[in-house]
């Protein structure tokens, strides 16, 4: 069984807004990395 089959059984489609779900999963992963990096950066104390 592939991820596409699992996704199809859960949601009934493999596309959203005309784009493949792999695109949306990767975009979500990148967005989470960016959010974590921003939290880490803005919580650091400046070295003076």
């Amino acid at each position: 069984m592939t991820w596409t089959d699992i996704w199809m059984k859960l949601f009934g489609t493999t596309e959203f807004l005309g784009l493949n779900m792999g695109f949306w999963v990767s975009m979500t992963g990148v967005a989470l990395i960016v959010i974590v990096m921003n939290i880490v950066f803005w919580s650091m104390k400046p070295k003076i």
Side-chain angles (χ1 to χ4, degrees):
M1 181 173 272
T2 63
W3 288 109
T4 305
D5 293 336
I6 295 170
W7 199 269
M8 192 65 150
K9 284 185 179 185
L10 289 174
F11 301 108
T13 184
T14 58
E15 293 186 357
F16 180 68
L17 299 176
L19 295 169
N20 190 299
M21 282 303 176
F23 169 80
W24 293 114
V25 170
S26 61
M27 283 297 287
T28 303
V30 169
L32 289 173
I33 291 169
V34 169
I35 290 169
V36 169
M37 288 177 71
N38 274 291
I39 290 170
V40 169
F41 175 77
W42 288 107
S43 65
M44 288 176 18
K45 302 280 187 229
K47 293 182 180 178
I48 297 177

